[in-house]
Amino acid sequence: MGERKILVTRAWPKAAEERLVSEGLGTVTLRHPDTALSREEWMAAAESYDAILPTVSDRIPPEFYVAAKGKVRVMANYGVGFNHIDIGAARENGIAVTNTPDVLTDCTADLAMGLLLAAARRIGEGERETRAGGWEGWRPTHMIGKKVSGATLGIVGFGRIGQAMARRAHGGFGMRVVFQDAWDVPAEIRAANGQAEQLGSIAEVAAEADFLSLHCPGGAETFKLINADVFDALKPGAILVNTARGDVVDEDALFAALASGKLAAAGLDVYMGEPALDARFLGLENIVLAPHLGSATEATRAAMGHRAIDNLKAFLAGETPGDLVT
Ligand code: DGY
C-alpha cells in the first residue's frame, strides 16, 4: 500500500493548508489555482484519493460514490452544510462524512442581521443612489424604510445559527422572536436565546413576523419550503432574509412577492442555482444580494479548515470524528 493521498477540492486559508500539509497525514493535493473540480476530475479522484476534503459549492457527480467505494474512506467537508453530498450514497459505499459546525455560527448570524438591516433600511439602494450621484439631499420623505427595533422576527430553523440570530435580534434590537422547528425546544433554550416563542407551523410564524429569517438546512426535506403559501401568510410589507440555502426558497414565488409589494424587501446570501442568479432579481431595487458570505471572515474560514483537519485526523486515527455526519 502506497502513501495515503488526500485531496482538498478548493483553496483554503493559508494557515489551514499549511497545517494540513505539516500534519503528515499523507500526500496532500491543494487546488492552486483555485478552480472547481470538473466531473472528470471528480471521477478520477474517486479512484485516486483515500480522503477528500470537499466544500459547499462542489458539484459531486452522482456516480462518484459507487466509483469511490473501497478507495475514498472519508469526506471531511469544509462547511457546516452538507446538502451537496449524497449522504445515503456515501453511507452505502462506506464513505464517512464530517462537517464543520459551531465555528461559523456567529459570523453567519452577523451576516443575517446585516442583511436584515440592509434590506429594512434600504442601505444597498441608498448606496447605489449615492454612488450614481443621484442623491438630492436630506428630505422628510426620502428612501423611507422599515423600523427594525421592537419589530417581530420569525425564524425558520432554531439550530445554532437560528438561536444566534434570535440573541442578536432580541438582545440588540429589542425584537420579539417567534420560530418554527420540528424539535420541541426546551424552555431554557428558548429563554436563553432571545426569549423566543415556538409556534406550531411556518404559517403561524409568518402571520406574526415583520421579518422572516431562514436558518434550516437545505436538501430534499426543505426544498422550496418557503413558497407562495408562506408569502401569502406573511404580513404585508414583511422582509425575508435567507442565509441558509437557496433551494429552501421558491424563487418564482419570491420574485412575485417582491414585485407585487407583498414583501417589502429581501436580503439574500444564497440562491437556488448559485453562483447563477435569477436575472429578474437584478432588476429589483428592493433586494439585497450578497455572494454567499455567511462565514466569510478570516478567523472563521481558518477555523473551518482546522475543524475539517481535526475530523480527518480523528478518522484516520481510527477514532470517531467529533463532527461525524454519517
Ligand atoms: C456552510 O458552511 O454551510 C456555509 O454555507 C458556508 O460557510
Side-chain angles (χ1 to χ4, degrees):
M1 198 175 101
E3 204 194 8
R4 192 185 285 138
K5 290 176 76 185
I6 300 167
L7 170 67
V8 183
T9 65
R10 298 303 298 252
W12 279 8
K14 200 162 174 274
E17 285 189 341
E18 283 175 357
R19 178 184 156 207
L20 178 58
V21 171
S22 71
E23 287 281 358
L25 300 171
T27 304
V28 179
T29 301
L30 301 170
R31 300 286 292 174
H32 294 282
D34 176 20
T35 55
L37 262 67
S38 65
R39 185 189 170 282
E40 291 66 35
E41 288 170 316
W42 272 106
M43 296 313 291
E47 292 173 10
S48 321
Y49 290 94
D50 305 279
I52 297 183
L53 293 97
T55 193
V56 300
S57 52
D58 284 332
R59 303 258 165 85
I60 306 172
E63 320 79 76
F64 165 84
Y65 302 91
V66 171
K69 187 173 182 164
K71 177 62 184 167
V72 179
R73 292 164 54 220
V74 59
M75 296 172 83
N77 187 51
Y78 177 101
V80 66
F82 48 83
N83 57 310
H84 55 293
I85 299 175
D86 184 336
I87 296 299
R91 189 182 297 122
E92 278 165 26
N93 292 289
I95 305 168
V97 177
T98 62
N99 70 341
T100 60
D102 299 321
V103 290
L104 45 67
T105 299
D106 281 334
C107 280
T108 307
D110 290 349
L111 190 90
M113 203 65 220
L115 285 172
L116 187 154
L117 289 165
R121 302 302 309 276
R122 302 172 66 172
I123 295 172
E125 198 181 340
E127 214 246 3
R128 286 190 290 279
E129 182 184 89
T130 309
R131 274 183 190 273
W135 183 33
E136 290 168 9
W138 191 94
R139 52 203 193 276
T141 57
H142 179 228
M143 220 168 264
I144 304 303
K146 187 177 172 84
K147 189 173 176 189
V148 173
S149 294
T152 297
L153 171 66
I155 291 180
V156 176
F158 209 61
R160 298 177 191 84
I161 302 173
Q163 292 173 22
M165 180 67 172
R167 292 195 298 276
R168 281 155 177 75
H170 185 73
F173 297 86
M175 296 177 91
R176 174 184 172 224
V177 179
V178 296
F179 73 91
Q180 181 275 337
D181 200 300
W183 67 297
D184 198 5
V185 181
E188 60 276 17
I189 295 183
R190 287 187 269 115
N193 292 286
Q195 303 289 344
E197 301 157 48
Q198 184 161 19
L199 303 183
S201 67
I202 295 175
E204 285 172 66
V205 168
E208 299 281 321
D210 300 300
F211 298 88
L212 188 68
S213 190
L214 309 181
H215 300 287
C216 54
E221 280 177 27
T222 54
F223 187 73
K224 294 190 181 178
L225 184 69
I226 306 302
N227 51 29
D229 292 343
V230 177
F231 293 128
D232 283 348
L234 279 165
K235 289 186 196 170
I239 288 179
L240 176 78
V241 174
N242 188 9
T243 54
R245 281 293 182 266
D247 59 9
V248 175
V249 175
D250 178 338
E251 291 187 344
D252 284 333
L254 173 59
F255 176 77
L258 285 166
S260 71
K262 169 75 192 184
L263 269 186
L268 306 182
D269 191 38
V270 287
Y271 309 87
M272 183 69 81
E274 67 182 62
L277 285 198
D278 185 325
R280 294 172 299 177
F281 290 159
L282 302 177
L284 293 175
E285 285 291 357
N286 56 345
I287 183 165
V288 183
L289 302 166
H292 204 148
L293 294 177
S295 61
T297 67
E298 206 175 320
T300 295
R301 288 285 168 86
M304 290 164 71
H306 289 299
R307 188 95 174 204
I309 297 168
D310 292 344
N311 286 319
L312 176 67
K313 257 182 92 172
F315 178 86
L316 295 176
E319 297 157 15
T320 302
D323 306 311
L324 187 66
V325 173
T326 186

